[in-house]
Amino acid sequence: MGRRDDESFVEFVAERGDALLRTASLMCGARQDAEDILQTALEKAYRHWGRLDADTDPEPYVRRILVNLVISRSRRWKVLREIHMARPPETPTLAGTHAVELRGTLMDELRRLGARQRAVLVLRFWEDLSEAETAQVLGCSVGTVKSQASRGLARLRERLGANLAPMGS
């Protein structure tokens, strides 16, 4: 059983860093927060890198650290809520930028979900992990993944239904 070295860590970050940043961005909502969370996750992974088996994929380990940090951060932020200014309502149009507008609307609604539901949806549908793989990353049962995904999707459908109706007409 071989051990990992510093060079393998640098290679891992070079190969998977962008994908991990996208995942963090989806879970955090803001790129700046995602960069901070990913940096912390990589720092934590590096501290234990030498102990990891060289024959196994380190990405699930790093992803698990990332998810735990995002969930922990969201719990702290429940206490320290920021005050957001209301944005004026925008009227949706069927412009050539419809896909971009739709993506922005989806991202806004994804940010409104709880950290656990958001993590499940990102891992299941963005990272394309199976229910069992998602459960393993989150340290919960497959049933929990199913229920969190179902509730999260239902909430997104409920909230996006009113926003998407004019766009789809």
Side-chain angles (χ1 to χ4, degrees):
M1 178 161 82
R3 299 286 184 194
R4 297 190 174 273
D5 59 1
D6 289 351
E7 185 177 318
S8 67
F9 182 78
V10 171
E11 289 173 10
F12 171 76
V13 172
E15 290 174 10
R16 299 303 303 156
D18 289 340
L20 289 168
L21 181 59
R22 282 190 301 271
T23 301
S25 294
L26 287 168
M27 286 192 280
C28 291
R31 185 172 174 94
Q32 299 85 354
D33 294 338
E35 289 171 349
D36 291 343
I37 293 283
L38 179 58
Q39 183 69 30
T40 303
L42 290 173
E43 183 264 327
K44 286 179 179 268
Y46 180 74
R47 279 193 263 150
H48 301 284
W49 195 254
R51 297 185 209 157
L52 298 178
D53 183 9
D55 297 332
T56 60
D57 182 15
E59 188 167 356
Y61 175 72
V62 176
R63 193 181 301 129
R64 175 65 188 254
I65 294 171
L66 189 65
V67 168
N68 287 343
L69 287 169
V70 170
I71 291 172
S72 175
R73 175 182 157 264
S74 73
R75 287 180 182 146
R76 283 193 310 270
W77 280 35
K78 283 183 181 179
V79 176
L80 304 171
R81 290 270 184 212
E82 291 183 26
I83 299 173
H84 295 283
M85 300 302 290
R87 289 186 285 172
E90 297 178 11
T91 55
T93 61
L94 288 176
T97 59
H98 174 68
V100 174
E101 292 171 3
L102 182 59
R103 185 180 310 134
T105 302
L106 178 61
M107 296 304 290
D108 288 343
E109 293 302 328
L110 192 60
R111 286 183 195 109
R112 293 178 60 193
L113 293 177
R116 193 85 164 166
Q117 282 181 348
R118 186 171 52 245
V120 167
L121 293 178
V122 167
L123 293 173
R124 281 283 292 130
F125 301 107
W126 181 264
E127 291 290 324
D128 200 26
L129 297 181
S130 69
E131 290 169 341
E133 291 169 329
T134 302
Q136 184 180 9
V137 168
L138 294 175
C140 63
S141 70
V142 173
T144 300
V145 170
K146 289 179 180 182
S147 67
Q148 291 292 313
S150 175
R151 290 180 189 141
L153 288 173
R155 185 169 289 161
L156 285 176
R157 284 185 193 109
E158 175 185 310
R159 290 180 179 166
L160 290 174
N163 292 337
L164 298 181
M167 288 184 196
S169 301

